[in-house]
Amino acid sequence: MTLDTWLISISNWYEAKQYDQIETLKTLLYSAPNSVWGPTLTDEQSKAIACWLDGSLRVFEHTKYHDKKKAYQMLQYASAKLEVAAFNSATDIDIKDWCLKRLQHLTVLSLEFCNQQQDQSTWNKKAHSLIEIHVKLMASLSWNESLNSNNASNLMTPH
């Protein structure tokens, strides 16, 4: 499926206000083409990634009260897709930045979800694992700090 075709399909889902058609939405989300996550930033790509994330969060909201495992899996699936885009060396820097910001929000949402569950022995382990993984993930970005600070100072220095 091409990005244009996928955008038409997801737009049709929204325009028809089929908010109770979660299975249709899931099918759309799982069939999203790789171009949703880049590597090039275009108006279509920007709309697609925003629709994809919104759809993922709608699936999460729909399932969180009656199927906690599937709700949590949806958050993890969305996080994984954003991670892949953020760490793809070919991905546009603006897409990476967008993905990392949303990834931080998804991590907080996942931790809040874990904290709200009754069986804290199970969900507490998941929360601790999430924290460890997120810290390692963000620490792995530190290689870019010196590059970014050098680039920032080069941008500020008259040539």
Side-chain angles (χ1 to χ4, degrees):
M1 181 178 297
T2 67
L3 183 63
D4 290 339
T5 306
W6 187 83
L7 260 174
I8 289 168
S9 298
I10 195 86
S11 293
N12 287 341
W13 185 86
Y14 279 103
E15 288 172 13
K17 295 184 179 21
Q18 299 175 335
Y19 304 132
D20 61 336
Q21 301 295 317
I22 294 299
E23 291 306 316
T24 303
L25 179 58
K26 280 190 212 177
T27 300
L28 285 168
L29 295 174
Y30 295 138
S31 67
N34 287 336
S35 52
V36 166
W37 297 277
T40 306
L41 179 63
T42 64
D43 289 343
E44 291 79 20
Q45 181 280 329
S46 180
K47 179 180 178 182
I49 198 169
C51 287
W52 183 88
L53 182 58
D54 178 75
S56 297
L57 291 172
R58 286 175 186 268
V59 170
F60 164 72
E61 286 295 326
H62 179 79
T63 57
K64 74 179 183 180
Y65 295 110
H66 63 275
D67 194 337
K68 292 171 183 16
K69 184 177 179 182
K70 285 191 186 216
Y72 183 76
Q73 287 173 343
M74 191 66 206
L75 288 176
Q76 297 314 295
Y77 175 72
S79 294
K81 286 292 199 176
L82 294 178
E83 284 176 24
V84 169
F87 286 92
N88 181 345
S89 61
T91 301
D92 183 281
I93 191 73
D94 290 327
I95 297 171
K96 287 181 180 192
D97 183 59
W98 189 92
C99 288
L100 287 171
K101 287 176 181 171
R102 286 1 174 244
L103 182 59
Q104 290 179 357
H105 291 231
L106 285 177
T107 301
V108 170
L109 184 60
S110 296
L111 289 169
E112 288 173 349
F113 180 74
C114 289
N115 191 42
Q116 294 167 354
Q117 304 314 306
Q118 296 297 323
D119 181 11
Q120 279 301 297
S121 63
T122 300
W123 291 98
N124 198 21
K125 289 176 190 172
K126 289 184 188 295
H128 283 287
S129 178
L130 272 172
I131 292 167
E132 286 178 25
I133 291 168
H134 189 72
V135 168
K136 287 178 184 176
L137 182 73
M138 291 303 159
S140 72
L141 293 174
S142 65
W143 67 270
N144 209 16
E145 287 176 7
S146 62
L147 179 64
N148 283 340
S149 64
N150 288 339
N151 286 342
S153 53
N154 286 340
L155 291 173
M156 294 176 174
T157 307
H159 295 281

